Amino acid sequence: MNSPAAEPLGSTPRTRVRRLPEKAATDRAALHAVLDAGLVAHVAVTDNSGPNGAAQPYILPVAYARDGERVLFHGSTGSRLFRALADGAPTCLTVTLLDGLVVARSAFESSMNYRGAMVLGTCRMLPEAEKEAALERITEHLMPGRWQDLRAPKRKELAATVVLALPLTEASVKISTGDPDDDPDDLASPVWAGVVPLHEAYCDPKPAANLAPGIDVPDYLRGWRR
Amino acid sequence: MNSPAAEPLGSTPRTRVRRLPEKAATDRAALHAVLDAGLVAHVAVTDNSGPNGAAQPYILPVAYARDGERVLFHGSTGSRLFRALADGAPTCLTVTLLDGLVVARSAFESSMNYRGAMVLGTCRMLPEAEKEAALERITEHLMPGRWQDLRAPKRKELAATVVLALPLTEASVKISTGDPDDDPDDLASPVWAGVVPLHEAYCDPKPAANLAPGIDVPDYLRGWRR
């Protein structure tokens, strides 16, 4: 059996980057870096609710974490679409990080800088015994240091949660950086061109209205950075 | 014929918000506001490249703009998935805006604050005569004031661009705000709880390396805000 880690990125017909292939990354470190930098993934699943029973895709935004050569994410056992994923419906998971607006001298070359990862495959539903460790991984990805402060999940909470693992076997990464790629004919244009970087940041934590007096913001939380 | 604007949000079996229905918005102004606030949409399209010819969804991140009761987005005529959308493949378009981390007293209630829109339907490919106005709309959504500074698109640029319009006929909106919704049993917990808001902002514009000296950052660009 091939190790998922041994498959080069973008090496299958389904993941080869055909549009702007110069932006395709080929090392798995790039895939890991994009997945590790995101907070939300978009996950697609298809049913037959399209016109005349045609395949209809749906997209679910999910919290997730990378765990080695797989992505973990969770949802409710009450969700029809999560149950379809748990049953092995083919899926596509994407993480898109927007880094800036690329302000070119033509509309055609105006674009965005971004880091994007796409993973194709089918999910495995984790058994009860593996759920808690997976939820710790997801919590610590989003809120580093938090898990130690939380009570253990209750059995009924775990029972209400589907945790899915998608292997990073078939994936691609596309990264767009730097200046506009203007048509040489446009370089004499008298208009400004360049990049307007985008930056995401956390603001000051807001205590819950029902927080008891005297409980300070924990140190680990003060260290959270985007 | 019903006007798309007359359909209530989340009124079809495919768009009814079943999970956490109290977070569903029902007025179209909320849909418009989410779409107007985003920069990137995720669009899904399905082919038969799954195992044994099964339906396989793909997700494409796209620049877009709302134009009245439709969403416009564009791609390359060379993209197989864009051609499928142009041919009327059922699609799902989502815009997800992340507003903060909800730091609850349990992992189960820890979550995110967000505004999310989902639109289902099929796209119409715009004819040549409508493309330029649509590209102006998309450019002005992302880069307000920019269009007037750009030369007109060339015929070959328009020919290489597919512009798609997705009507806002069948859509849902889900908005999560405010404090953690902790289990009453957890309120005596001695750990901090609250919200860590997320904020996206533009940084200082970086001129292109090949920008001629003496061209200042335009006033309209200085006004761009997230």
Side-chain angles (χ1 to χ4, degrees):
Chain A
M1 188 180 140
N2 286 331
S3 156
E7 308 267 353
L9 293 186
S11 63
T12 70
R14 306 197 307 175
T15 57
R16 188 159 60 84
V17 176
R18 292 177 172 80
R19 304 302 314 158
L20 307 175
E22 68 280 11
K23 297 188 189 298
T26 52
D27 57 330
R28 298 190 74 82
L31 173 64
H32 294 176
V34 172
L35 295 174
D36 291 349
L39 295 176
V40 167
H42 286 84
V43 174
V45 58
T46 299
D47 71 8
N48 293 315
S49 67
N52 303 314
Q56 170 69 51
Y58 292 83
I59 298 177
L60 307 166
V62 299
Y64 74 95
R66 182 178 69 86
D67 179 45
E69 293 298 331
R70 62 183 188 171
V71 172
L72 302 170
F73 59 101
H74 65 89
S76 165
T77 50
S79 160
R80 181 179 63 90
L81 296 173
F82 266 88
R83 288 197 305 269
L85 289 171
D87 287 343
T91 189
C92 172
L93 179 146
T94 56
V95 172
T96 307
L97 304 165
L98 214 54
D99 292 326
L101 299 180
V102 178
V103 184
R105 294 155 175 103
S106 65
F108 191 72
E109 293 295 347
S110 296
S111 62
M112 296 188 196
N113 281 332
Y114 59 85
R115 290 161 287 158
M118 180 182 83
V119 185
L120 301 179
T122 56
C123 297
R124 182 172 75 91
M125 183 171 65
L126 297 192
E128 289 300 311
E130 296 176 24
K131 280 185 186 177
E132 188 168 332
L135 294 174
E136 176 176 353
R137 186 89 189 178
I138 296 169
T139 303
E140 287 289 305
H141 171 63
L142 296 169
M143 305 176 183
R146 183 66 176 169
W147 190 260
Q148 63 181 3
D149 265 1
L150 299 174
R151 64 164 171 77
K154 296 177 184 176
R155 188 176 295 183
K156 71 171 182 185
E157 292 172 342
L158 292 175
T161 305
V162 182
V163 186
L164 300 171
L166 178 64
L168 299 182
T169 313
E170 191 175 357
S172 65
V173 174
K174 216 166 158 181
I175 297 176
S176 191
T177 59
D179 277 352
D181 186 23
D182 274 305
D183 187 311
D185 291 348
D186 291 330
L187 294 182
S189 160
V191 306
W192 189 89
V195 169
V196 183
L198 259 173
H199 174 67
E200 199 178 51
Y202 289 118
C203 308
D204 288 341
K206 290 183 175 177
N210 59 11
L211 187 69
I215 301 183
D216 286 337
V217 173
D219 285 343
Y220 58 80
L221 194 155
R222 293 193 184 280
W224 294 351
R225 293 281 177 277
R226 292 298 302 151
Chain B
M1 184 181 145
N2 285 332
S3 156
E7 308 267 353
L9 293 186
S11 64
T12 71
R14 306 198 305 175
T15 57
R16 187 160 61 83
V17 176
R18 291 176 173 81
R19 303 303 311 160
L20 307 175
E22 68 279 12
K23 297 187 188 298
T26 53
D27 55 329
R28 299 191 73 83
L31 174 63
H32 294 177
V34 172
L35 295 174
D36 291 350
L39 296 175
V40 167
H42 286 84
V43 174
V45 59
T46 298
D47 71 9
N48 293 316
S49 67
N52 303 314
Q56 169 69 51
Y58 292 83
I59 298 177
L60 307 166
V62 298
Y64 74 95
R66 182 178 69 87
D67 179 46
E69 292 298 331
R70 62 183 188 169
V71 172
L72 302 170
F73 59 101
H74 65 89
S76 164
T77 49
S79 159
R80 180 178 65 88
L81 296 173
F82 266 87
R83 288 197 306 267
L85 289 170
D87 287 344
T91 189
C92 172
L93 179 146
T94 56
V95 171
T96 307
L97 304 166
L98 213 54
D99 291 327
L101 300 180
V102 178
V103 183
R105 293 154 176 104
S106 65
F108 191 72
E109 292 295 347
S110 296
S111 63
M112 296 187 193
N113 281 333
Y114 59 84
R115 290 162 286 157
M118 180 181 84
V119 185
L120 300 178
T122 55
C123 297
R124 183 173 74 90
M125 182 170 66
L126 297 192
E128 289 301 312
E130 295 175 25
K131 280 186 186 177
E132 188 168 332
L135 294 174
E136 175 175 354
R137 187 89 189 178
I138 296 169
T139 302
E140 286 290 304
H141 171 63
L142 297 169
M143 305 176 182
R146 183 66 177 169
W147 190 260
Q148 63 181 3
D149 264 2
L150 299 173
R151 64 164 170 77
K154 297 177 183 176
R155 187 175 296 185
K156 71 170 183 186
E157 292 172 342
L158 291 175
T161 305
V162 182
V163 186
L164 299 171
L166 178 64
L168 299 181
T169 312
E170 191 174 358
S172 65
V173 174
K174 217 167 159 182
I175 297 176
S176 191
T177 59
D179 277 353
D181 186 22
D182 274 305
D183 187 310
D185 291 349
D186 291 331
L187 294 182
S189 161
V191 306
W192 190 89
V195 169
V196 183
L198 259 172
H199 174 67
E200 198 177 52
Y202 289 119
C203 308
D204 288 340
K206 289 183 177 177
N210 59 13
L211 187 69
I215 301 182
D216 286 337
V217 173
D219 284 343
Y220 57 79
L221 194 154
R222 293 191 183 281
W224 294 352
R225 293 280 177 278
R226 293 298 301 150

